[in-house]
Amino acid sequence: MIGNRLWFWFAGGLLCLTLALPGCSRQPPEQALRAAIDELRQAIESRDARSLDNRLADDFIGPDGMDGEGAARTARLMFLRYRNVGVTLGPADVSINDRHATVRVEAMLTGGQGRVLPDAVRVYEVESGWRLDGDKWVLTSIRWEDGR
């Protein structure tokens, strides 16, 4: 009798775990990419250069041949210049092809020294390239144009 109850609870628990696992499985690619973009935005706003570096692919390429090290230096310079950095993104146009993606978005960047109004506000049209490395989306390229 006790053996049957134990088996019942074990089988019931296993069934519940099996039904719950799909909810714990990996996110769909676009959802995971959008989460990576948000993590990148949060890293910029929190002035977290290390998290920013972790999202750059080893073969990252930016404007004028900027590599990942150049991008990290540029970010650190911006973080030194502005105590408060803000990033507001418009709706993203996401195109995924297998393990690669292109994201187009309008971004407003603000920077300031803690006053009520930012010292600088710029709007850019941004196009970024992404690659799925294992289960992590990494930024492979970025280019931007003044959005005026």
Side-chain angles (χ1 to χ4, degrees), residues 70-89:
R73 277 193 310 267
T74 301
R76 284 182 179 90
L77 182 63
M78 183 177 72
F79 298 158
L80 287 172
R81 182 172 181 185
Y82 298 112
R83 185 169 54 172
N84 295 319
V85 178
V87 180
T88 303
L89 300 176

Side-chain angles (χ1 to χ4, degrees), residues 58-127:
D58 292 337
D59 58 346
F60 171 84
I61 186 82
D64 300 323
M66 176 191 296
D67 62 3
E69 190 175 309
R73 277 193 310 267
T74 301
R76 284 182 179 90
L77 182 63
M78 183 177 72
F79 298 158
L80 287 172
R81 182 172 181 185
Y82 298 112
R83 185 169 54 172
N84 295 319
V85 178
V87 180
T88 303
L89 300 176
D93 176 23
V94 176
S95 173
I96 297 178
N97 184 4
D98 192 26
R99 299 181 67 81
H100 293 79
T102 302
V103 178
R104 291 176 187 83
V105 66
E106 186 174 83
M108 181 175 65
L109 301 178
T110 58
Q113 295 304 326
R115 296 184 277 283
V116 176
L117 296 175
D119 297 334
V121 177
R122 300 291 300 258
V123 177
Y124 299 96
E125 297 292 330
V126 180
E127 181 176 300

Side-chain angles (χ1 to χ4, degrees), residues 37-49 51-52 75 78-79 82-89 107-112:
I37 292 166
D38 192 52
E39 286 175 20
L40 191 60
R41 181 194 58 75
Q42 289 176 17
I44 292 169
E45 287 188 340
S46 64
R47 301 171 52 202
D48 184 354
S51 292
L52 186 64
M78 183 177 72
F79 298 158
Y82 298 112
R83 185 169 54 172
N84 295 319
V85 178
V87 180
T88 303
L89 300 176
M108 181 175 65
L109 301 178
T110 58

Side-chain angles (χ1 to χ4, degrees), residues 1-78:
M1 181 96 168
I2 292 177
N4 287 342
R5 276 192 195 163
L6 185 59
W7 172 249
F8 173 77
W9 286 110
F10 175 77
L14 188 59
L15 178 63
C16 289
L17 182 61
T18 303
L19 293 174
L21 282 178
C24 297
S25 65
R26 290 191 296 186
Q27 296 175 311
E30 184 172 340
Q31 186 179 359
L33 177 57
R34 288 180 184 274
I37 292 166
D38 192 52
E39 286 175 20
L40 191 60
R41 181 194 58 75
Q42 289 176 17
I44 292 169
E45 287 188 340
S46 64
R47 301 171 52 202
D48 184 354
R50 183 170 296 168
S51 292
L52 186 64
D53 291 346
N54 288 337
R55 277 290 168 193
L56 297 181
D58 292 337
D59 58 346
F60 171 84
I61 186 82
D64 300 323
M66 176 191 296
D67 62 3
E69 190 175 309
R73 277 193 310 267
T74 301
R76 284 182 179 90
L77 182 63
M78 183 177 72

